[in-house]
Amino acid sequence: MPDTFRIIVTGKGQYLANAGDTLLEAGQRAGFGFPSACRNGNCLRCQGTLLHGSLTQRIGNLASNTRTVYAGDADAARVLYCVAHALEDCEITVPDITAPGELPVSDVSCQITAIDTLNHDVSRVMLRLPAGRKLRWHAGQYLMLALPAGDSAFSIANAPGGRDIELHVRHNAENPPSLDVIEALRQDSLVRARLPFGERFIGETLPDRPVWFICGSTGFAPAKAMIEHLLASGFQHPIHLYWGARTEADLYLPALPLQWAAAHNLRYVPVLSESADTAYRSGLVHEAVLADLGDPAAAEFHIGGSPPMAWAVFDALAGAGVPADNMHSDVFDYAPRG
Ligand code: FES
């Protein structure tokens, strides 16, 4: 009989558990944020459902008093993982569990402290988190704002830490709902936010290779957060920032990447698709990246922009030999191709 079992946590990932480990302790050792308190079968904090497989679970406080639970049993919906041992590979659900590196989602009321115009159609919205709530997020993640017309997602444009959150909101007549969004924010002093969301981030463990950021429009926002995080963390590898826009006027915050490039190991390449200004690279942003790409497998790529733009960059880079696992964009999760 094998003494190590694969435990799938629905929607969160998987880990290995030795026969002598409880599912709780093996999961926590693998980095899962398993809810728990007593670790002794009393508080019910770790309770969840066994979907596939079988396990033994202790009953009461006597170690010798156990029962076997099979998926589909009535008891399978009330498994206490702190006193459960796998008998085979299992799939389980655990309410409120977080995957390794995943942070818990909070729902908070934020103060809207400033709205500044950055260019003809992008505004910077500053939010302040409530005092006394220590919220964590990773650079590159996003939040959801509860607005009158429904929830809207925005990338967080500043590095984690502190109480202030920066958003870049694009609003123009080509996208009428975006006008309602900025108007709603201007009309109120508070907004409810849920955060953090997103799997494509740079966490506390920094990449051990160069990082390329390829963005269009407000896809610059998550790139900005990740670049600020890398620079503040002493990242030593080169950083490449390629920002595509139609015209120079679309490049909001134009001085910031130039400041980064002057002070750090960062190369900034703005690329304009509808401008004859010879001071800029012309064409589409991924064309400029392909022209400058060295070893396609030696770097990590973060892509920010609309689904068509992100997938076009993905296809172009994949065609040039960049491994799919080296490319990251929230688009790949919320707008996957069939
Ligand atoms: S942690 Fe208390 S019952 Fe499992």
Side-chain angles (χ1 to χ4, degrees):
M1 179 174 171
D3 58 3
T4 301
F5 305 106
R6 183 170 303 281
I7 310 300
I8 296 172
V9 184
T10 306
K12 298 293 181 182
Q14 53 184 276
Y15 62 93
L16 296 177
N18 296 323
D21 296 330
T22 67
L23 294 191
L24 173 78
E25 60 198 8
Q28 288 184 330
R29 195 163 55 235
F32 285 83
F34 237 108
S36 67
C38 70
R39 306 173 73 86
N40 200 29
N42 293 316
C43 71
L44 311 188
R45 283 274 292 133
C46 64
Q47 184 170 270
T49 300
L50 174 67
L51 295 179
H52 294 108
S54 59
L55 48 77
T56 60
Q57 179 178 317
R58 198 187 76 206
I59 311 296
N61 290 328
L62 261 185
S64 57
N65 190 8
T66 64
R67 70 172 160 224
T68 300
V69 180
Y70 297 92
D73 287 355
D75 288 343
R78 295 186 297 273
V79 173
L80 300 176
Y81 297 113
C82 66
V83 288
H85 299 259
L87 291 171
E88 59 183 313
D89 293 348
C90 294
E91 180 172 357
I92 63 176
T93 65
V94 191
D96 300 328
I97 194 172
T98 53
E102 184 184 8
L103 299 174
V105 174
S106 299
D107 189 330
V108 290
S109 179
C110 299
Q111 195 183 348
I112 302 171
T113 55
I115 300 181
D116 303 313
T117 299
L118 297 181
N119 75 349
H120 61 96
D121 69 354
V122 177
S123 294
R124 175 171 48 207
V125 176
M126 296 300 303
L127 306 180
R128 181 151 300 160
L129 295 165
R133 289 288 300 272
K134 198 153 175 52
L135 299 191
R136 295 180 61 214
W137 70 91
H138 294 304
Q141 289 195 292
Y142 64 92
L143 55 64
M144 302 295 295
L145 293 187
L147 297 172
D151 288 355
S152 287
F154 295 95
S155 292
I156 300 172
N158 55 322
R163 288 176 55 200
D164 292 321
I165 287 186
E166 175 182 343
L167 309 177
H168 298 167
V169 180
R170 188 167 184 226
H171 47 89
N172 56 43
E174 291 173 28
N175 179 12
S178 68
L179 299 176
D180 297 335
V181 166
I182 196 68
E183 193 53 31
L185 292 168
R186 286 190 178 121
Q187 293 299 322
D188 222 330
S189 59
L190 293 173
V191 64
R192 286 208 75 80
R194 287 195 304 135
L195 71 156
F197 296 100
E199 308 298 319
R200 312 295 180 142
F201 52 77
I202 295 180
E204 283 156 18
T205 303
L206 303 184
D208 189 21
R209 53 191 174 182
V211 181
W212 292 59
F213 295 96
I214 306 165
C215 54
S217 187
T218 49
F220 174 68
K224 174 179 176 291
M226 288 186 272
I227 289 170
E228 288 180 349
H229 172 56
L230 290 173
L231 298 181
S233 304
F235 185 64
Q236 295 296 314
H237 296 280
I239 300 171
H240 304 264
L241 170 61
Y242 283 66
W243 191 359
R246 283 186 288 195
T247 68
E248 183 182 11
D250 294 326
L251 299 169
Y252 62 92
L253 291 175
L256 183 59
L258 297 173
Q259 291 166 6
W260 290 333
H264 301 281
N265 186 10
L266 183 147
R267 180 159 177 263
Y268 171 47
V269 181
V271 185
L272 303 183
S273 60
E274 296 177 12
S275 170
D277 189 337
T278 55
Y280 293 92
R281 297 277 285 272
S282 63
L284 298 175
V285 66
H286 68 265
E287 295 168 344
V289 171
L290 288 182
D292 298 348
L293 193 59
D295 180 352
E300 162 171 325
F301 299 82
H302 290 265
I303 305 162
S306 65
M309 177 268 182
W311 281 115
V313 172
F314 178 92
D315 289 339
L317 294 185
V322 175
D325 287 349
N326 291 12
M327 293 186 268
H328 306 281
S329 174
D330 284 327
V331 165
F332 303 157
D333 301 320
Y334 76 76
R337 291 194 290 206

